[in-house]
Structure formats: structure tokens, C-alpha cells
Amino acid sequence: MRTPRTPRHRAGSTVENFSSSFTALGGLAYEGARVSASVSDLDTGRSLLAIDERIVLPTASIGKILLLIEVSARLSEREASAYGILDKTARDAVGRSGLWQHLQAPALPVADLATLVGATSDNLATNVLLRQVGLQAVRERTESLGLLRTALLDLVRDTRGPDDAPQLSVGSTAELAWLFGALARGEVVDSLTSSRVLGWLSLGSDLSMVASAFGLDPLAHRGTDHGILLVNKTGTDAGVRSEAGVVRGPRAAVAYAVSVQFRDHGIAARLRVRDALHTVGLDLLEYLH
């Protein structure tokens, strides 16, 4: 008798707790979306969910994590440039996410700009930091971490022309889940650098995707709430929804990443993606408790 075949997109180690996630994300893929997911137990390293986890998909603002790592490493190394006060200029101007574009302050310290990026995915602060450290330095740092399928490709732009990178960032969920796990273990550059990046990201106010299932206060969740402690980063663009993070519960801890690229032709399509990501969060919550 032939041995039952494991589905191509499903890891052999996928546990029953995540069957609902597989079904929900599989439904999006059946409708034509490109889907990738990776979930692993933070303490044992066991793979809990793996769906095309090595393919490269757009990840929008998630790539800003790589910029924060470079900034944090420079602070740890006590580089003089990392302690400066940076001005916003007309060439940095960009809309959408963030607060600095609405504030009167013409300049802010580097660490404050990183805080804005972590808290609100601030686009203006991102561009000013990128002008200071350079995109090439971020790329070199990314490569030094062993990330081959994850990259910050460009600065933030209101519109992308034919000569611009088509996406702000790309990544594989396997690498993004690994990166958050490494940050939680203090292994990204060093423990101080990792801790500082996690501190910035812990201020993140977007709990609209996977993390929507945890019932946390979007504006105040740096501490443990009903046994749940979360640090995450999201990425949103037209036809892109992506989230990566690390979350600890009473029974376990996991590192996770989920990315969906879909035809954004109406609100119904967005809501289907939102519901699928929420389902992943519910499965995470069940595993953690």
C-alpha cells in the first residue's frame, strides 16, 4: 500500500493545532493569492506551520526592521553618527504612516526616530534614518545576518516609478520568523542590539492582522496581559498584508511570520485576507495557552 503523500505546501511537522490556519490560508491561495507562513516553537525550535515558507514575497514595511537593526548596532558600537540629531528635509517628505509629518519638531535624535519607526512605522523617520546610515549599510548588515531572501530595497516613496524598486521590501517567512526568534534570544549582533530593537518594536500600534486575535490594547501592550507578551511588525500595501513577530504565552512561545500577496480589487478581498490572518492568530493563541 502506498504511503499517504504529504501536501507539497504543508510541512510534515505541521501540528493539528494549526489545521485551521492551513485551511484559511489555503482558501486564499485557491482564490489566486500567493501565501507564505512560518511558525516555530521559540523554546524547542519545532516547526508548527510551514506553507511555502521559503518563497520571496513583498513585505512592505516589515523591511524597516533591518534598518532598526543597523541603527541599533551603531548605537551599541557607540558610533558618533548614531547619537546625532537629524533634520527632516523636503527630499525626505513622504505621506501615509507615521506621526512626524504631523509634528512641528524640525529635528529629532536618532533613537527617537527609531522609536517612531517601531511605534507607528513612521515613513518620514524611516527616510531620514536611511539618509543617515545608507541603504548599502543596511544591505550589508542584512547579509551579515545570513538573510538571503529578505531585504529592504528602497526608501519609502509615495509613488514608485519605472526606475524605482517595485517594492519597499521583500522577504521569506522562514527568514522573518527566524529573525524574530534570534532577536528574542539576543542573537542579532549582540544581546544589547537585539534588546533595543525589540524595545522599539514593542511599541508597535498595529494589531490588525495576526495579533488581532490576542485581545491586546493596540496602544499599550509592552507588558504581559492575560499571560500574553507580544512584539510584532506589520507591512501593508496595496495587495500586500504581512506580519512577523514573537509572542509568549502561559504554556509556550512562538516566532511567526505570515505574508499574503493578493488581488486587491475590493474591500471583500481585503476582509478575506484579514479573516485568514486572524485565524492564524487564534491558532497561535490556542497553542500558547
Side-chain angles (χ1 to χ4, degrees), residues 80-195:
S81 61
Y83 291 87
I85 296 177
L86 305 182
D87 297 319
K88 57 182 175 182
T89 68
R91 63 178 289 198
D92 305 312
V94 66
R96 303 183 69 181
S97 66
L99 291 176
W100 197 16
Q101 61 185 309
H102 306 294
L103 302 179
Q104 295 299 310
L108 289 171
V110 168
D112 287 357
L113 296 180
T115 298
L116 285 175
V117 174
T120 67
S121 199
D122 197 293
N123 287 336
L124 176 55
T126 296
N127 282 356
V128 172
L129 285 173
L130 272 174
R131 173 163 52 84
Q132 176 72 3
V133 306
L135 189 59
Q136 183 59 35
V138 176
R139 289 172 177 165
E140 291 173 359
R141 182 72 64 178
T142 301
E143 293 172 1
S144 75
L145 297 174
L147 300 175
L148 303 177
R149 298 178 174 89
T150 300
L152 180 63
L153 301 177
D154 198 5
L155 50 76
V156 186
R157 302 178 188 273
D158 287 323
T159 58
R160 294 197 170 275
D163 295 328
D164 301 323
Q167 304 288 342
L168 174 62
S169 76
V170 295
S172 77
T173 56
E175 289 190 344
L176 289 170
W178 173 86
L179 180 60
F180 265 92
L183 284 168
R185 292 187 294 269
E187 297 171 350
V188 175
V189 182
D190 54 40
S191 60
L192 178 59
T193 298
S194 298
S195 177

